[in-house]
Amino acid sequence: MILRIKRGKFIRAGAVLTFIPRIPWSERPLARFNAAIPRYQRVLFYVLLAGIVLMAAFLLHERRVAHDRLAAQNDATPLAAPVSNATEPFTLDLASDSDGSVTAVERQIALPTVPSVRARALLERLMAEYALPNSLHPLASGAAVDDVFLLKLPVAASAPSPADAAPEEELAVINLRGSFINDHPSGVEVEMLTLLSIIGTLHANFPRVTQVRFLVDGQPRETLAGHADLERVYPAVDTTVAAGGSSQ
Amino acid sequence: MHSIRRWKRSSVRGWFLLSVGVLCPFLVQAQSTAAFNRDTVVLDPAHGGADGGARINDHLEEKDVTLALAARLRSLLAARGFNVVSTREDDLGSRSGTPLSTDQRAEMANRAHAVACLVLHASPAGNGIYLGTSALGSSLAAVTQNASSNPAPTSPVTWDRAQELYIPQSLGLANQIRTALSRETLPLASGRVAMRPLDNLMCPAVSIEVGPIRSDGSDPTPLSDGDYQQRVAEAIAGALIFWKNQAQPPSSISPALSTSGAGQ
């Protein structure tokens, strides 16, 4: 049987079979292989074969190294002792829709130590109280506060003077979530009670905060849900209101 | 001789400029705060048009409730001899196709020099009536650069703090309405509110928010209940009859009025 390899060149089919390495103890095919293939091609073949084996070994090695590296990253073994903040008493100004009151209530809460994060966590806790089924000022559940920024006053001072530095006053900028605003009930009383509750809670727990400003998703907004003004800067004062709304 | 005449002329001119400088603030103040028209009441049914306000139920919006309450109140007040100015008599309240802004409503109310301005709201939350007076002058007043608790008579009236001069009158009006509603045994609460256009009104102004009446063991009285709206409207109308004779202009305005009268 004759096979055509190139134009005008033919080899026998038996010679093609000799490219397949046979078992070493079989003398006859190997001898035929050595006789039919030039030496340089055989050397090239063995070099390529050795390269394949080496690359496979290298890949296996790299795979093991990568696996070990990823396992080290995901290692959750505690190296440092965890820090747990002890619960402290905090005052929450809780509103009631039924009689228009805002009442100071004490709760034991564990909060972070960083002031701005602490303020945010406190307000989230306040909103969580309103999301409870038996809340007197029912609000939708979910995250309400994106951030709380505490800025030293005066905000636009060019150079702080020693006189200004003594009593440190702060402006709390509360960045509310748009989802919270969209789900907030609409009405003069219910919106004012939410604002009074937030302002009063900040005043009770952050004595340095003297002013409060609200943003919604980082932008100023005209009203909370169509009524209460969100554009003004509110003074942080005691906002507790007796039943029937007789104080302030 | 010539120098004496020139000195006299300049001194007369100086006295004239000085007197104008002294009287001008009073004149401006007097123009901005005229006396009440005791027979005039302004009703502001809040929201309207695309701004529906709070959703009371699936078929009712706040703007419809406030308009219905204003219509009842208007007829009751007209029957008692009041001239009623309403900022909205239909859904939009304007012929331009867009509802009036809160500033435009306040401007309309301020031009009426009314003895009482009532901003009507409705809400599915709360219990009964919520009476709100402006937070200006209270501890919750907005923080501003040059805010003062007692504005001087000669100080210019800023738009955002226009209601500040009328706070005592507004509290008096709220007290009168509260008494009348209490006689009707309607549940009510009151407080200071930070809300437009209440802060921009130059008249005794009260925000009245009507909510459902919730009582233990029975279904709440809905806002769409005609009898409930009628009770509220009659109580308010009765209170305004008393208020019409009690209302006094702000004390800081009285000398200004007399000065302007003398000047004219």
Side-chain angles (χ1 to χ4, degrees):
Chain A
M1 184 177 180
I2 304 298
L3 295 177
R4 182 179 175 184
I5 291 184
K6 278 188 178 179
R7 186 186 298 171
K9 293 187 177 178
F10 301 92
I11 61 170
R12 285 187 295 123
V16 176
L17 291 175
T18 56
F19 279 99
I20 303 167
R22 299 293 177 89
I23 48 177
W25 55 85
S26 175
E27 287 291 331
R28 198 170 163 225
L30 189 61
R32 193 179 294 171
F33 172 75
N34 290 338
I37 306 297
R39 180 182 171 80
Y40 76 92
Q41 285 187 351
R42 276 183 280 143
V43 170
L44 182 64
F45 172 77
Y46 287 123
V47 167
L48 289 174
L49 188 65
I52 290 168
V53 171
L54 285 174
M55 285 179 67
F58 179 72
L59 284 174
L60 287 173
H61 171 72
E62 284 298 309
R63 178 181 172 278
R64 191 180 300 116
V65 169
H67 180 266
D68 292 345
R69 190 172 64 245
L70 290 173
Q73 285 178 354
N74 294 330
D75 188 8
T77 308
L79 299 177
V83 178
S84 61
N85 291 329
T87 57
E88 300 172 57
F90 285 92
T91 303
L92 300 180
D93 279 9
L94 293 179
S96 168
D97 290 350
S98 58
D99 55 9
S101 66
V102 179
T103 314
V105 176
E106 203 167 90
R107 294 274 191 273
Q108 292 287 334
I109 314 170
L111 292 179
T113 52
V114 180
S116 58
V117 184
R118 191 183 183 88
R120 178 179 170 276
L122 183 65
L123 293 182
E124 282 293 359
R125 173 62 195 266
L126 176 69
M127 294 304 151
E129 292 266 344
Y130 291 136
L132 294 173
N134 56 353
S135 168
L136 296 174
H137 179 66
L139 299 180
S141 60
V145 183
D146 244 345
D147 303 289
V148 176
F149 304 100
L150 300 176
L151 310 175
K152 284 183 183 172
L153 289 171
V155 176
S158 54
S161 63
D164 293 339
E168 281 193 351
E169 295 186 345
E170 290 178 330
L171 163 71
V173 180
I174 302 170
N175 186 22
L176 299 169
R177 284 177 186 250
S179 56
F180 169 73
I181 297 294
N182 295 336
D183 293 338
H184 194 284
S186 180
V188 179
E189 182 184 15
V190 70
E191 291 175 40
M192 279 310 297
L193 286 177
T194 299
L195 293 187
L196 293 177
S197 174
I198 291 174
I199 292 169
T201 300
L202 278 180
H203 169 74
N205 300 287
F206 295 86
R208 286 182 178 177
V209 173
T210 56
Q211 297 177 16
V212 180
R213 191 173 175 202
F214 293 92
L215 298 176
V216 178
D217 287 337
Q219 300 291 325
R221 181 151 165 158
E222 204 170 321
T223 61
L224 179 57
H227 299 90
D229 196 344
L230 272 196
E231 284 186 328
R232 63 183 67 187
V233 179
Y234 287 92
V237 292
D238 178 16
T239 56
T240 52
V241 183
S246 58
S247 75
Q248 277 180 43
Chain B
M1 190 66 184
H2 187 69
S3 63
I4 292 173
R5 197 176 294 166
R6 189 184 298 167
W7 178 81
K8 275 185 178 175
R9 199 177 294 164
S10 64
S11 66
V12 167
R13 194 182 299 158
W15 277 109
F16 175 74
L17 290 174
L18 184 65
S19 58
V20 167
V22 169
L23 287 176
C24 259
F26 291 105
L27 294 172
V28 170
Q29 184 73 18
Q31 279 182 346
S32 61
T33 54
F36 298 138
N37 289 330
R38 292 188 180 273
D39 291 332
T40 303
V41 172
V42 171
L43 299 180
D44 177 29
H47 309 289
D51 174 18
R55 179 156 284 283
I56 307 299
N57 58 40
D58 290 342
H59 310 290
L60 195 61
E61 288 184 308
E62 181 182 1
K63 64 175 183 178
D64 303 319
V65 176
T66 57
L67 194 60
L69 183 62
R72 288 178 190 276
L73 204 46
R74 184 188 178 92
S75 56
L76 288 172
L77 290 172
R80 286 160 174 78
F82 281 102
N83 170 35
V84 181
V85 176
S86 183
T87 60
R88 184 165 74 91
E89 294 179 6
D90 52 18
D91 184 34
L92 283 175
S94 69
R95 293 171 187 171
S96 63
T98 55
L100 294 177
S101 67
T102 53
D103 283 349
Q104 288 170 321
R105 290 170 189 237
E107 190 181 337
M108 185 187 283
N110 291 343
R111 287 185 195 284
H113 301 294
V115 73
C117 296
L118 306 180
V119 182
L120 305 177
H121 284 276
S123 171
N127 182 22
I129 316 293
Y130 183 76
L131 295 176
T133 44
S134 170
L136 292 170
S138 73
S139 60
L140 200 65
V143 178
T144 55
Q145 289 294 322
N146 299 315
S148 62
S149 57
N150 293 313
T154 54
S155 63
V157 179
T158 60
W159 180 250
D160 288 340
R161 305 178 75 89
Q163 174 63 194
E164 199 163 20
L165 280 173
Y166 290 85
I167 289 297
Q169 285 70 30
S170 298
L171 291 170
L173 174 60
N175 195 39
Q176 196 74 57
I177 296 174
R178 186 187 300 119
T179 306
L181 290 169
S182 299
R183 275 198 217 103
E184 288 286 328
T185 63
L186 293 167
L188 61 96
S190 61
R192 307 296 288 270
V193 296
M195 185 182 66
R196 293 170 190 272
L198 209 56
D199 292 350
N200 313 120
L201 295 174
M202 298 194 71
C203 52
V206 174
S207 153
I208 302 172
E209 184 176 68
V210 188
I213 299 177
R214 303 173 201 280
S215 53
D216 295 333
S218 61
D219 292 334
T221 307
L223 291 175
S224 54
D225 187 287
D227 291 341
Y228 176 33
Q229 289 187 8
Q230 190 67 20
R231 281 175 68 195
V232 173
E234 283 179 357
I236 295 170
L240 289 176
I241 291 286
F242 285 101
W243 176 249
K244 174 183 173 180
N245 301 319
Q246 287 181 358
Q248 295 295 327
S251 56
S252 59
I253 296 175
S254 303
L257 283 173
S258 60
T259 308
S260 67
Q264 289 166 355

